[in-house]
Each structure stands twice: as structure tokens, then as C-alpha cells.
Amino acid sequence: MNHPMRKCALVALTLSVGIGQAYAEQTQRVDVMLVGGGIMSSTLAVWLSELEPGWSMEMVERLDQIAEESSNGWNNAGTGHSALAELNYTPEKDGKVDITKAVEINEAFQITRQFLAWQVKTGVLKNPRSFINSTPHMSFVWGDDNIRFLKKRYEALQASPLFRPMQYSEDPEQIRQWVPLMMEGRDPAQKIAATWTPIGTDVNFGEITRQFVSHLQSRDNFNLKLSTEVRDITRNDDGSWHVEYKNLKDGTTAATDARFLFIGAGGAALPLLQKSGIEEAKDYAGFPVGGSFLVTDNPEVAQRHMAKAYGIASTGAPPMSVPHLDTRVLDGKRVILFGPFATFSTKFLKEGSYFDLPASTTLHNLWPMVRVGVREFDLVQYLAGQLMQSDDDRFEALRTYFPHAKKEEWRLWQAGQRVQIIKKDEQQGGVLKLGTEVVASRDGSIAGLLGASPGASTAAPIMLDLMGKVFKDKLASAPWQDKLRQIVPSYGTRLNEHPDKVMEEWRYTSEVLQLTPPPGIDEAPAQNPPGNIDAVQQKNLDSDPDLKP
């Protein structure tokens, strides 16, 4: 006969074991976990699926769909950033234009082009026109000082074969051929200048992300969890990472142990890196800056502008706030965006929390934030001025680029949030860092990405750089090296020093991605008179109706 107390103890033990088994079943184990369902996480996942097809991966995304934050086509400029038009990448120092950063960014985008071309060849990406389209990149300025700078910039860039197709003109009639809408109604007495490059691109990073993840989901060792928010990150005794998360739809919780953890969650990356407790994250703070655009989808307007025309940023403006009148292809439709106009919120994500900024402020990063706030007073003034703008003010800014714009044809669209990096600095206390930065633990078991532009357009080389930090031995191995050169034929080559390799890469990627064929380039800098288009370029224009004004 069973004793009542013994039976109770047995039931309790059974329940305890059952609970333990249930918890064990909920805690999965994977080789790689990716937090965030955007272009960065999906690009890294595609890289690793090529290099280590046997690795298991899990991706968690807080929203109901992937690519709904910064990677969404409506939340960014869609520029294939290659420094063809962005003047902030070529600062003037001691009377000379420094093209170092421009060359670096252009080289990075050539890696992106090759990476995308490979994905098209292997069937990972479908229909190039759905995510990348030829769109000339253009710099447009007025005023003597700005014209002088643009001409010096053009001359300096001609030293690089990467920029050899660029043309320069101060002739209003030539500029009218490039961008008729920007010239109609303009004061003929206004002095203007422009550079124009036919091989620029418009890119829908959201569509690329969706196609990447769709391919990854066809693999048995990849798992996607949507509507799932990471709640805690802790270190296991074996060095792996224990990530706890909650399903925002049904409230259930679960966890995953990962040998390598990547945090590619846009503005949310900093708080999550802080949760991990790694020393490397303590040196950073974030300053959120939002943006809005004026948009028109009137086909009579959109079909008459084919360019990404960038101007000069206002004093104190962050690089991503450079005004530009952009041709975009979104949701299969051609539209024009103008902006951005800076907005401010304490949210780190468009769909974030107003507590994001205060929650990320710690004893480690408070002083750097204060120091940057004092030193970057121009930025504070710029943001204050932007926040005080009315609808009329924004429309008048548009008319400096498009004089005949009609207010009723444009609407205001709130784009995504970006978090500028503030990094601790021994000499200055803190510095405002531009661009993107990989933050990785010393042992390479966890990494995250912070920052903004050029961002998405250089996701492929950024993730290549990340793998060099966290998988150093793997990257140096023969199998990885062979595969890398198969995916990116120019891997390990500085294209800027090899004009023949530049042409080879342009021709290959243009054919696969269905882009405008590149004009020929010479070994020596171009000698065309400013404003003239060479015969090869004219032939390309004539053969591609999308590039005709």
C-alpha cells in the first residue's frame, strides 16, 4: 500500500521533471542567431549560408514582417551609395579636396554589386529590376563658392577610374538635358553647376531583404520568428549566448542558445548590446535623428525626372540630411522624393519606444553625450531649425530644386529613424561618429552594428568586415577564400588602382543586374571639356530609354 506522503513527493518530482523538460524543449541551440529582420542580418545570413551551409541559424524580428524599419524602401533614400553625388564624402582640407572616403565608399559598393550579381546568378534573387535600377547620380549646386568647390571635387575625382564616367557642367542647357524639371522656371541669371554620372543606381533594400529571407526559409536549418522581441541576453558557462524572447502576439516566452550572436536591429542594436554586458558596448551612446520626405507619384512629374540629385547639406546637418531630389522605384511604381527634413524623437526605431534614448543612457556614456552636445552646437541649431519648419517652408525648399513644383501634388512622408553614434574618446570626452561601425566582443562570439549612412548600400562589405573580425581563422582558410573570390571576383583587389579591373567588374555586374552598360574609361584621367558627353556615353543613353530626359 502506497504511503500518501510518498505519493505526493512522487507527483511533485514528476511535475518538477516535466517543467524542466518543457524549459529544455523551449531552449533551442543554434550556430548563429540574428536579431533583427533587416538588410544587415539577412545579408550576413546569406553570406554564412554560402560559406558554411551546414550551420544552423535563427532570425528574430520584433515586427510582424521583415524589412519594415530602416530597410523598408519608404524609410530610406534608396541610394546605391558610391560617393558619386554625396558631397559630404569629399571634404575640402587646406584648399584640397580629399577623395579618400569617396574612393573607399565607391569600392565598397562595387563589392555590393558583385554580391548581388552572384545572388541573381544562383537564383537567390529574382528579377533585378524589382530591386535595383539604373538611375544617374548627380550633384547640383549654386553660388560661386559652391560652384568652385564642385569643380575642384570633379577634378580631384578624375584621378580615380571609379569616377571617370562623371561629367561636369556649368552650362544651363547641358544641365537641362540631364534634369529638365530642375531647370524649368529657374532664374536664368542664377549661376549653377552640376556633375552627372550615368552608372548610379536606385536600390530597394526592403525587396532585397524579403528575397534573401525567402531563400533562407527554404533551407532546413534556418528558422524565422516574427513578432518576437528579445527581452534578455546573458552569457552561458560554455561561452555561448542565452537569448530570451517573447512572442508579442500570444505572450509566450522562449529562449535560444547561440554560438554566435549578431545584433542587426537598427537603432535597437545599442540597447541590446548593452544588455549583453560586453565591455566594448560601454563606450557608445546613441543620438536619434528622424527624417521626413515630400513625395509625388504623379506620373506626369515622375516620368520627367531621372536622377538622384544631391545638394549641399546645411551647416551642422548630419550626412544623411543632405537635400536630394530622388527618382525612386517603389512597389513597382516610379515616384520622386525630396528631402530629408530632420525630425526628432527619443525613439531609436520608427516603431520604437519614447524611452529608448533615456534607457540607453548610462554612467559610462553620459559624459561623452554631454561633451558632444556642447561641441556639436551647429547640429543642435540645425535640428531646432528643422523642427520649426512649416509645410510652406518645406515646400519652398523643394522649389529651390524643382521651381515649378505644385504643392497639391506632394505629400509629407515620415521615413525611418537613424541613430548617430557617439563614442567615448580619451582626448575629447566623446565624438560624433559618422557612418557605420561594427562592435564585437574580444572573443568574437557576439557582434552588433551601429550607425547610419552609407549603411544598407554597403551591407555586403560591412558583413565581410564583420566576418573578418569574428571568424578570423575561418576567413583566412582556403575554402572560405575560394568561395569569397567566386562570389566577389575582385575580392582582395583595390579597384581604384586597376582601371582594367574596374571595367571588367562594371561590365559583369551591369549585364547580370540589367543595369546601364558602363562607358569606356581610359588609363589616364578623362580630358573631355566640362559638360560634354563622350560618344560611348551618348550611345548608352540612346539605348536605354529609362535614362533619357
Side-chain angles (χ1 to χ4, degrees), residues 411-431:
R411 67 182 187 275
L412 190 65
W413 173 263
Q414 181 61 42
Q417 286 284 102
R418 302 292 186 272
V419 177
Q420 296 290 130
I421 304 168
I422 295 175
K423 189 175 183 180
K424 186 177 180 181
D425 182 85
E426 291 185 4
Q427 294 183 339
Q428 301 183 62
V431 292

Side-chain angles (χ1 to χ4, degrees), residues 3-15:
H3 194 281
M5 291 297 293
R6 187 177 297 171
K7 182 178 287 188
C8 289
L10 182 60
V11 170
L13 178 60
T14 302
L15 286 172

Side-chain angles (χ1 to χ4, degrees), residues 369-433:
M369 292 175 71
V370 171
R371 293 293 298 164
V372 167
V374 172
R375 192 168 56 255
E376 299 287 343
F377 186 66
D378 284 345
L379 173 60
V380 176
Q381 282 187 311
Y382 165 78
L383 288 174
Q386 289 278 292
L387 294 174
M388 293 174 64
Q389 282 189 327
S390 64
D391 289 343
D392 288 339
D393 292 331
R394 285 186 283 267
F395 184 68
E396 285 307 308
L398 167 63
R399 292 187 65 183
T400 61
Y401 286 79
F402 181 9
H404 275 178
K406 297 177 181 178
K407 194 172 184 178
E408 63 271 17
E409 295 178 340
W410 296 78
R411 67 182 187 275
L412 190 65
W413 173 263
Q414 181 61 42
Q417 286 284 102
R418 302 292 186 272
V419 177
Q420 296 290 130
I421 304 168
I422 295 175
K423 189 175 183 180
K424 186 177 180 181
D425 182 85
E426 291 185 4
Q427 294 183 339
Q428 301 183 62
V431 292
L432 188 65
K433 302 273 288 183

Side-chain angles (χ1 to χ4, degrees), residues 71-188:
S71 300
N72 185 285
W74 286 99
N75 288 343
N76 58 62
T79 301
H81 282 292
S82 39
L84 299 172
E86 307 93 317
L87 302 181
N88 51 292
Y89 294 138
T90 49
E92 189 171 10
K93 300 176 181 178
D94 301 323
K96 294 183 178 180
V97 175
D98 183 358
I99 69 170
T100 306
K101 188 67 174 178
V103 169
E104 176 188 325
I105 289 173
N106 196 301
E107 292 236 22
F109 189 65
Q110 303 316 314
I111 293 175
T112 293
R113 284 176 61 125
Q114 293 170 79
F115 182 73
L116 295 178
W118 174 259
Q119 305 312 325
V120 170
K121 286 180 65 177
T122 56
V124 175
L125 292 175
K126 318 289 184 184
N127 182 15
R129 287 293 180 99
S130 70
F131 61 84
I132 188 167
N133 287 274
S134 290
T135 308
H137 285 196
M138 180 178 187
S139 299
F140 182 85
V141 301
W142 57 86
D144 291 337
D145 288 344
N146 291 337
I147 292 172
R148 175 198 58 79
F149 167 72
L150 187 63
K151 188 172 184 179
K152 287 182 68 173
R153 177 184 189 268
Y154 164 76
E155 292 169 347
L157 288 172
Q158 287 301 290
S160 167
L162 294 162
F163 297 90
R164 211 65 58 72
M166 180 181 290
Q167 297 294 307
Y168 173 89
S169 182
E170 297 174 22
D171 178 8
E173 289 307 312
Q174 173 62 80
I175 298 173
R176 186 186 302 275
Q177 291 183 38
W178 294 334
V179 280
L181 286 186
M182 294 177 65
M183 296 302 294
E184 292 174 3
R186 189 170 296 278
D187 183 353

Side-chain angles (χ1 to χ4, degrees), residues 348-362:
F348 278 2
L349 294 167
K350 188 175 180 179
E351 300 295 332
S353 164
Y354 289 109
F355 294 103
D356 287 343
L357 177 58
S360 73
T361 304
T362 69

